[in-house]
Short mmCIF file of all heavy atoms in Angstrom, two decimals:
data_model
loop_
_atom_site.label_atom_id
_atom_site.label_comp_id
_atom_site.label_asym_id
_atom_site.label_seq_id
_atom_site.Cartn_x
_atom_site.Cartn_y
_atom_site.Cartn_z
N GLY I 21 29.00 -12.15 96.18
CA GLY I 21 28.53 -12.86 94.95
C GLY I 21 27.76 -13.99 95.11
O GLY I 21 27.67 -14.59 96.22
N PRO I 22 27.10 -14.50 94.03
CA PRO I 22 26.14 -15.61 94.20
C PRO I 22 26.72 -16.89 94.55
O PRO I 22 26.10 -17.67 95.25
CB PRO I 22 25.57 -15.73 92.70
CG PRO I 22 26.54 -14.95 91.82
CD PRO I 22 27.15 -13.91 92.71
N LEU I 23 28.04 -17.16 94.22
CA LEU I 23 28.65 -18.46 94.61
C LEU I 23 28.87 -18.57 96.05
O LEU I 23 28.41 -19.61 96.72
CB LEU I 23 29.92 -18.65 93.87
CG LEU I 23 30.74 -19.93 94.09
CD1 LEU I 23 29.84 -21.07 93.72
CD2 LEU I 23 31.94 -20.03 93.32
N GLN I 24 29.44 -17.55 96.69
CA GLN I 24 29.71 -17.60 98.11
C GLN I 24 28.36 -17.42 98.96
O GLN I 24 28.31 -18.15 99.97
CB GLN I 24 30.67 -16.43 98.52
CG GLN I 24 32.11 -16.64 98.06
CD GLN I 24 33.17 -15.95 98.78
OE1 GLN I 24 33.17 -16.05 100.06
NE2 GLN I 24 33.91 -15.07 98.15
N VAL I 25 27.45 -16.72 98.41
CA VAL I 25 26.18 -16.65 99.15
C VAL I 25 25.46 -17.97 99.10
O VAL I 25 24.98 -18.48 100.10
CB VAL I 25 25.18 -15.62 98.41
CG1 VAL I 25 23.81 -15.73 99.02
CG2 VAL I 25 25.73 -14.24 98.63
N TRP I 26 25.56 -18.73 97.98
CA TRP I 26 24.91 -20.08 97.82
C TRP I 26 25.66 -21.07 98.81
O TRP I 26 25.11 -21.96 99.49
CB TRP I 26 25.00 -20.48 96.40
CG TRP I 26 24.53 -21.97 96.27
CD1 TRP I 26 23.22 -22.44 96.23
CD2 TRP I 26 25.37 -23.10 96.19
NE1 TRP I 26 23.26 -23.85 96.15
CE2 TRP I 26 24.51 -24.28 96.12
CE3 TRP I 26 26.75 -23.35 96.25
CZ2 TRP I 26 25.05 -25.58 96.14
CZ3 TRP I 26 27.26 -24.55 96.18
CH2 TRP I 26 26.43 -25.68 96.08
N MET I 27 26.96 -20.99 98.88
CA MET I 27 27.75 -21.94 99.68
C MET I 27 27.45 -21.67 101.18
O MET I 27 27.32 -22.64 101.94
CB MET I 27 29.31 -21.67 99.46
CG MET I 27 29.78 -22.17 98.02
SD MET I 27 31.42 -21.70 97.70
CE MET I 27 32.34 -22.72 98.89
N ARG I 28 27.32 -20.40 101.61
CA ARG I 28 26.98 -20.13 102.97
C ARG I 28 25.67 -20.72 103.31
O ARG I 28 25.42 -21.23 104.34
CB ARG I 28 27.17 -18.67 103.31
CG ARG I 28 28.55 -18.15 103.35
CD ARG I 28 28.64 -16.78 104.00
NE ARG I 28 28.13 -15.77 103.00
CZ ARG I 28 28.81 -15.06 102.15
NH1 ARG I 28 30.15 -15.30 102.11
NH2 ARG I 28 28.21 -14.23 101.41
N GLU I 29 24.68 -20.41 102.36
CA GLU I 29 23.28 -20.86 102.77
C GLU I 29 23.13 -22.41 102.64
O GLU I 29 22.43 -23.03 103.48
CB GLU I 29 22.30 -20.26 101.74
CG GLU I 29 22.17 -18.71 101.85
CD GLU I 29 21.29 -18.15 100.82
OE1 GLU I 29 20.90 -18.83 99.86
OE2 GLU I 29 20.93 -16.90 100.90
N ALA I 30 23.80 -23.02 101.73
CA ALA I 30 23.70 -24.46 101.50
C ALA I 30 24.36 -25.30 102.62
O ALA I 30 23.93 -26.36 103.00
CB ALA I 30 24.22 -24.93 100.07
N PHE I 31 25.54 -24.78 103.11
CA PHE I 31 26.33 -25.60 104.03
C PHE I 31 26.40 -24.94 105.45
O PHE I 31 27.13 -25.50 106.28
CB PHE I 31 27.69 -25.72 103.50
CG PHE I 31 27.78 -26.55 102.17
CD1 PHE I 31 28.09 -25.76 100.97
CD2 PHE I 31 27.54 -27.80 102.00
CE1 PHE I 31 28.07 -26.31 99.78
CE2 PHE I 31 27.59 -28.43 100.75
CZ PHE I 31 27.85 -27.69 99.65
N GLY I 32 25.65 -23.80 105.63
CA GLY I 32 25.66 -23.29 106.97
C GLY I 32 26.95 -22.69 107.40
O GLY I 32 27.29 -22.71 108.57
N LEU I 33 27.72 -22.22 106.43
CA LEU I 33 29.08 -21.59 106.71
C LEU I 33 28.97 -20.10 106.91
O LEU I 33 27.87 -19.47 106.63
CB LEU I 33 30.02 -21.97 105.60
CG LEU I 33 30.26 -23.46 105.25
CD1 LEU I 33 31.03 -23.64 104.11
CD2 LEU I 33 30.76 -24.24 106.50
N GLU I 34 29.98 -19.53 107.49
CA GLU I 34 30.13 -18.06 107.71
C GLU I 34 31.48 -17.52 107.12
O GLU I 34 32.36 -18.27 107.09
CB GLU I 34 29.92 -17.74 109.24
CG GLU I 34 28.54 -18.10 109.74
CD GLU I 34 28.46 -17.69 111.19
OE1 GLU I 34 29.37 -17.18 111.70
OE2 GLU I 34 27.39 -17.92 111.73
N GLY I 35 31.37 -16.24 106.95
CA GLY I 35 32.63 -15.54 106.56
C GLY I 35 33.00 -15.81 105.04
O GLY I 35 32.25 -16.39 104.23
N ARG I 36 34.24 -15.42 104.77
CA ARG I 36 34.75 -15.56 103.40
C ARG I 36 35.10 -17.01 103.17
O ARG I 36 35.85 -17.63 103.91
CB ARG I 36 35.94 -14.64 103.13
CG ARG I 36 36.59 -14.85 101.72
CD ARG I 36 37.75 -13.88 101.56
NE ARG I 36 37.35 -12.47 101.72
CZ ARG I 36 36.75 -11.83 100.70
NH1 ARG I 36 36.57 -12.35 99.60
NH2 ARG I 36 36.46 -10.52 100.95
N LEU I 37 34.68 -17.56 102.04
CA LEU I 37 34.89 -19.02 101.72
C LEU I 37 35.80 -19.19 100.60
O LEU I 37 36.36 -20.32 100.38
CB LEU I 37 33.53 -19.68 101.38
CG LEU I 37 32.49 -19.52 102.44
CD1 LEU I 37 31.15 -20.26 101.97
CD2 LEU I 37 32.90 -20.22 103.75
N LEU I 38 36.11 -18.16 99.77
CA LEU I 38 37.02 -18.24 98.64
C LEU I 38 38.05 -17.16 98.74
O LEU I 38 37.84 -16.10 99.50
CB LEU I 38 36.21 -18.06 97.36
CG LEU I 38 35.21 -19.17 96.96
CD1 LEU I 38 34.42 -18.77 95.76
CD2 LEU I 38 35.79 -20.49 96.84
N PRO I 39 39.20 -17.27 98.19
CA PRO I 39 40.20 -16.37 98.26
C PRO I 39 39.74 -14.97 97.54
O PRO I 39 38.86 -15.00 96.72
CB PRO I 39 41.36 -16.95 97.49
CG PRO I 39 41.13 -18.33 97.47
CD PRO I 39 39.65 -18.59 97.52
N GLU I 40 40.37 -13.88 97.91
CA GLU I 40 39.95 -12.55 97.41
C GLU I 40 40.25 -12.56 95.91
O GLU I 40 41.39 -12.88 95.54
CB GLU I 40 40.67 -11.50 98.14
CG GLU I 40 40.53 -10.13 97.54
CD GLU I 40 39.01 -9.68 97.57
OE1 GLU I 40 38.41 -9.90 98.63
OE2 GLU I 40 38.53 -9.27 96.52
N VAL I 41 39.24 -12.19 95.17
CA VAL I 41 39.47 -12.18 93.68
C VAL I 41 40.35 -11.03 93.34
O VAL I 41 41.26 -11.13 92.41
CB VAL I 41 38.10 -12.02 92.93
CG1 VAL I 41 38.27 -11.98 91.39
CG2 VAL I 41 37.24 -13.18 93.31
N ARG I 42 40.21 -9.85 93.94
CA ARG I 42 40.91 -8.68 93.65
C ARG I 42 42.33 -8.74 94.34
O ARG I 42 42.58 -8.11 95.31
CB ARG I 42 40.21 -7.36 94.01
CG ARG I 42 38.94 -7.20 93.39
CD ARG I 42 38.20 -5.96 93.78
NE ARG I 42 36.88 -5.82 93.22
CZ ARG I 42 36.10 -4.72 93.48
NH1 ARG I 42 36.51 -3.76 94.12
NH2 ARG I 42 34.83 -4.78 93.03
N SER I 43 43.20 -9.50 93.69
CA SER I 43 44.56 -9.65 94.16
C SER I 43 45.47 -9.91 92.99
O SER I 43 45.01 -10.02 91.82
CB SER I 43 44.55 -10.91 95.11
OG SER I 43 44.16 -12.02 94.44
N VAL I 44 46.73 -10.08 93.27
CA VAL I 44 47.73 -10.35 92.20
C VAL I 44 47.42 -11.66 91.53
O VAL I 44 47.46 -11.78 90.35
CB VAL I 44 49.14 -10.41 92.68
CG1 VAL I 44 50.12 -10.71 91.70
CG2 VAL I 44 49.51 -8.98 93.20
N TRP I 45 47.00 -12.70 92.36
CA TRP I 45 46.72 -14.03 91.84
C TRP I 45 45.42 -14.02 91.06
O TRP I 45 45.43 -14.65 90.09
CB TRP I 45 46.68 -14.99 92.94
CG TRP I 45 47.95 -15.06 93.77
CD1 TRP I 45 48.26 -14.67 94.92
CD2 TRP I 45 49.26 -15.62 93.15
NE1 TRP I 45 49.64 -14.81 95.24
CE2 TRP I 45 50.16 -15.37 94.14
CE3 TRP I 45 49.60 -16.06 91.86
CZ2 TRP I 45 51.61 -15.73 93.98
CZ3 TRP I 45 50.92 -16.43 91.82
CH2 TRP I 45 51.96 -16.30 92.72
N GLY I 46 44.43 -13.13 91.50
CA GLY I 46 43.27 -13.07 90.61
C GLY I 46 43.58 -12.39 89.19
O GLY I 46 43.11 -12.80 88.25
N ALA I 47 44.52 -11.40 89.29
CA ALA I 47 44.87 -10.74 87.95
C ALA I 47 45.69 -11.73 87.08
O ALA I 47 45.42 -11.71 85.92
CB ALA I 47 45.69 -9.52 88.30
N ILE I 48 46.44 -12.61 87.68
CA ILE I 48 47.20 -13.55 86.96
C ILE I 48 46.25 -14.53 86.30
O ILE I 48 46.36 -14.92 85.04
CB ILE I 48 48.21 -14.35 87.87
CG1 ILE I 48 49.30 -13.42 88.25
CG2 ILE I 48 48.75 -15.60 87.20
CD1 ILE I 48 50.28 -13.93 89.43
#
């Protein structure tokens, strides 16, 4: 998604930066 793509490009990070949206907590 655009948020994680922007965070990786802006701060030079790699991998998943936010918790998985498709989860029980995301549904909550």
